[in-house]
Amino acid sequence: MTPRVRIALAVVLVVLVALPAIGFAVPGVFEGALNAPGTLNLLGLCFVFGALALTYDLVFGYVGLLSFGHALYFATGVYTTAIALTRWHWSLPAALALTAVVSLVLPLILGAVCLRMRDIPFAMVTLAFAQAGSILVMQNPLGLTGGEEGLALGGGVLPASLIGVANTRNLYWIALVLLLVVYAIGWLAVNSPAGRVWQAIRENERRVSVLGLNPYLYKLGAFVLSAFLASATGVVYLLLQGGANPQVTTADFTLALLVMVVLGGVGTLWGAVLGGIVYEYLDFRLVALANTGTVQSLPGVLRVPLSEPLFLLGVLFIVLVLFVPGGLGGLLRRRIAS
Amino acid sequence: MTTFALLLITGLGLGALYFLIAAGLSLIWGLMRVLNFAHGAFFTVAAYAGWWASGLASGASPEVQWIVAVVVAVVVGGLFATLTEVVLVRPLYARHVGQVLVTVGLALATISLVQGGFGSDPKTLQLPGWMTNTTTIVGANIPNTRLLVIVIAALVFGLLLFFLRRTRFGLIVRAGVENRAMVQALGIDVQRAFTLVFAIGGMAAGLAGMLAGTYYGTIDPGRGTSMLIFAFIVVIIGGLGSVTGSALAAIVVGVLQQFLNFYGAAGVGDFSVVLLLAVVLLVRPGGFSGASG
């Protein structure tokens, strides 16, 4: 990292921390002023998805495990906390403690089963388990998950400082801290001795086992760490959204994660973060774009595709996979290098 | 006994649909090592194309309309799959993850486009009168659509086996599933077999799309994705690359799902299928057919 990049990053960080105090607007980029609750909420969600994409990149980009079930662990964070808070009326710390336990035990069990398979069969098995989770949430067992309607946090279950439009900036800061903490843990993990083994497994698993290491245990470790961090991002997502919706359990959600990571650049932490942020921002802004008069007045052939963010993102994704294998991160890096 | 027969045949019908999707997936994976997420998109697009075509033929009798819909769905499914293979999958030859990702992107884009174009509400299919009737088998009134779907899937199974065992291309496909490098080394153009397998898979998926429409009476944009996930499970349980294994697994999964969804709470059947998958993987990682996974 060159000194100039380092200074630029420090400036960006200071601006992000101080953002809730900055009152001017950036027309075209955000609808309201930078410190408007709507903008802060969107940015908070962007940070959450940046962090979530990073956790996915830990298993996909660093260990080479193509998991199609990552949504399950994000949803574990969202739903465990939401159920403990709204159904059992636990306090926030107790709910978080329970979530932490569940988010460690669940991936440990499921990972132990899934990792018996490799490559594509592994992908299919993780997908199947995530689908089971999705079915479970949709079926609303014992009235816990709220089925298709999800769970709203409502009043009285959270500390006052986390509720209300005026306190959006607190949530924004929490999301920013989450991103920084997840990034730090991710960085430490991939640069640790275990992290080097992960990358060795990605390159050549058989060689790792010939060297006398047990790839299974390393993969399980990466799987559990990534899932646990994903659950943590799920908790912050729950706070930002003020409720749980079953959308986050679906296979489409995992596929969106995959799009984020590939969009940003597989196998780099900041690339994944960038991908997550850009994806969430585009997903949100493209909906706004679709509702503008210009798009609405177009003939159907153009209007329909432009009104579907997922269509545009899917096409962008295909183009990136075909022509820009390094993703946006790869493009940027080449820019900086040249 | 009545309920048992009804559940059994309904389950077999569901299994027949799974089989039609899974057979193509299994062959594509066996030959090319591509996990084809776009299979659900073939299914959905073909179903909508069939529905649209049957609307065009609205003057004709319902039987003709239905046949038109099925033929159009099969053709569209096959064409879409062929195009996908040639345009998107082929350039990424030897980049397996890239191939999976491209099919993921295609699935997302296509299904959201269908949803944007036709809306997310289900579309009702115009079915011939005899299909909406029931046939009494051991005292149970079985909807004729269930029987129709089972018969057609059995025919497709027979055709596929004939193709694989009795034709030259089938021989190449089977050999390719066994050992692709060796087939290439013998100077055989595997590329053409890839396209062919994709086309066959797409046609079967298209047929499944229309038959699912017949089975449920409606088509909607989301069904392809949800059926695809169960088809994936069928493919793994049956053993990747084996059509017979897929057929067996499809029957087991479909029937199990129906019975447990009926006798247990709603969703228990879906859930148990996933558990069955976990058990099969722990006991026999290669699936029923025992092919190495």
Side-chain angles (χ1 to χ4, degrees):
Chain A
M1 197 185 279
T2 61
R4 256 169 64 193
V5 176
R6 206 171 286 187
I7 293 169
L9 279 181
V11 171
V12 168
L13 189 61
V14 169
V15 170
L16 285 180
V17 171
L19 200 71
I22 303 175
F24 65 86
V26 188
V29 181
F30 294 109
E31 267 164 19
L34 277 179
N35 62 355
T39 308
L40 290 180
N41 198 283
L42 172 59
L43 282 172
L45 284 176
C46 284
F47 296 156
V48 166
F49 282 101
L52 180 59
L54 189 153
T55 67
Y56 189 63
D57 197 30
L58 280 183
V59 280
F60 175 50
Y62 282 87
V63 198
L65 296 171
L66 181 57
S67 160
F68 277 107
H70 207 59
L72 179 63
Y73 306 108
F74 181 74
T76 303
V78 175
Y79 270 95
T80 313
T81 314
I83 289 171
L85 284 175
T86 62
R87 297 292 193 238
W88 301 332
H89 306 289
W90 289 16
S91 68
L92 186 61
L96 290 181
L98 175 74
T99 307
V101 173
V102 174
S103 326
L104 274 177
V105 173
L106 186 71
L108 195 61
I109 297 172
L110 296 187
V113 175
C114 293
L115 285 167
R116 287 174 62 91
M117 310 299 280
R118 293 208 173 88
D119 305 325
I120 301 298
F122 170 80
M124 292 184 182
V125 180
T126 51
L127 177 69
F129 278 121
Q131 187 63 13
S134 185
I135 294 166
L136 196 65
V137 167
M138 287 289 189
Q139 293 299 335
N140 195 9
L142 309 172
L144 280 180
T145 61
E148 278 179 39
E149 312 208 326
L151 289 172
L153 284 186
V157 297
L158 286 178
S161 57
L162 296 178
I163 312 171
V165 177
N167 286 322
T168 305
R169 60 199 152 103
N170 293 343
L171 296 173
Y172 167 87
W173 278 319
I174 291 177
L176 184 60
V177 169
L178 170 86
L179 177 59
L180 295 176
V181 169
V182 168
Y183 193 97
I185 295 176
W187 191 88
L188 285 175
V190 299
N191 288 298
S192 69
R196 286 182 220 293
V197 178
W198 292 348
Q199 290 163 64
I201 291 173
R202 178 187 67 196
E203 299 305 326
N204 191 337
E205 182 171 344
R206 185 165 294 165
R207 187 139 183 224
V208 172
S209 48
V210 170
L211 288 171
L213 297 166
N214 185 353
Y216 181 82
L217 289 180
Y218 281 94
K219 288 196 283 189
L220 189 58
F223 192 84
V224 173
L225 175 70
S226 151
F228 181 76
L229 292 177
S231 300
T233 63
V235 173
V236 178
Y237 176 83
L238 173 74
L239 298 179
L240 271 166
Q241 290 288 68
N245 63 56
Q247 189 54 41
V248 300
T249 65
T250 58
D252 278 352
F253 190 78
T254 301
L255 298 187
L257 279 179
L258 191 60
V259 175
M260 290 175 202
V261 173
V262 174
L263 188 74
V266 180
T268 57
L269 295 177
W270 61 271
V273 171
L274 185 71
I277 292 176
V278 169
Y279 180 96
E280 177 59 17
Y281 175 77
L282 284 180
D283 195 28
F284 189 86
R285 291 296 293 178
L286 288 174
V287 175
L289 172 81
N291 292 326
T292 55
T294 342
V295 171
Q296 287 298 328
S297 61
L298 287 171
V301 190
L302 287 173
R303 194 195 67 235
V304 170
L306 286 179
S307 311
E308 291 291 328
L310 216 48
F311 172 75
L312 297 173
L313 287 166
V315 171
L316 175 67
F317 178 70
I318 293 175
V319 170
L320 281 174
V321 172
L322 283 177
F323 303 111
V324 198
L328 294 177
L331 278 182
L332 257 177
R333 189 161 35 187
R334 257 168 276 159
R335 251 292 158 71
I336 293 171
S338 63
Chain B
M1 193 63 206
T2 316
T3 323
F4 181 83
L6 180 64
L7 286 174
L8 183 67
I9 293 178
T10 316
L12 282 176
L14 192 62
L17 294 176
Y18 289 155
F19 166 72
L20 288 175
I21 307 172
L25 281 175
S26 185
L27 279 180
I28 290 173
W29 201 87
L31 191 62
M32 308 169 67
R33 296 291 185 268
V34 173
L35 175 62
N36 185 24
F37 265 90
H39 228 69
F42 303 162
F43 174 102
T44 309
V45 168
Y48 273 84
W51 170 78
W52 175 76
S54 78
L56 286 187
S58 56
S61 70
E63 280 82 4
V64 174
Q65 273 190 41
W66 186 81
I67 290 170
V68 166
V70 169
V71 170
V72 167
V74 170
V75 170
V76 167
L79 281 180
F80 189 18
T82 311
L83 257 175
T84 305
E85 200 277 328
V86 173
V87 177
L88 295 179
V89 177
R90 194 176 289 177
L92 293 171
Y93 180 65
R95 276 177 53 199
H96 291 309
V97 171
Q99 288 175 327
V100 177
L101 297 183
V102 155
T103 63
V104 166
L106 184 64
L108 286 176
T110 314
I111 288 175
S112 67
L113 198 59
V114 168
Q115 198 159 345
F118 296 95
S120 44
D121 294 334
K123 304 274 181 209
T124 313
L125 272 182
Q126 206 50 257
L127 294 179
W130 63 270
M131 278 190 205
T132 48
N133 289 340
T134 57
T135 305
T136 310
I137 298 175
V138 288
N141 293 326
I142 313 286
N144 285 340
T145 49
R146 305 321 189 235
L147 301 172
L148 181 75
V149 169
I150 295 169
V151 169
I152 293 181
L155 283 177
V156 171
F157 178 58
L159 274 176
L160 270 177
L161 282 190
F162 177 81
F163 165 79
L164 285 172
R165 298 206 174 143
R166 292 274 177 269
T167 64
R168 192 181 146 67
F169 264 118
L171 185 69
I172 295 175
V173 170
R174 274 190 300 144
V177 169
E178 204 69 43
N179 186 340
R180 192 171 75 191
M182 181 57 89
V183 176
Q184 278 170 311
L186 290 171
I188 292 165
D189 184 5
V190 194
Q191 197 81 63
R192 265 163 64 199
F194 288 178
T195 315
L196 187 72
V197 163
F198 245 86
I200 293 175
M203 282 158 69
L207 180 63
M210 206 59 227
L211 289 182
T214 310
Y215 183 101
Y216 292 104
T218 57
I219 56 173
D220 67 65
R223 185 171 294 132
T225 315
S226 54
M227 294 205 82
L228 181 68
I229 291 170
F230 286 107
F232 279 151
I233 296 177
V234 165
V235 171
I236 312 177
I237 293 182
L240 291 146
S242 157
V243 171
T244 318
S246 289
L248 270 177
I251 292 173
V252 171
V253 168
V255 172
L256 182 78
Q257 207 175 354
Q258 282 298 319
F259 271 91
L260 291 175
N261 271 343
F262 182 80
Y263 287 112
V268 170
D270 303 2
F271 206 76
S272 329
V273 169
V274 179
L275 283 184
L276 174 71
L277 171 73
V279 171
V280 170
L281 283 180
L282 286 170
V283 179
R284 233 190 130 96
F288 284 173
S289 74
S292 56

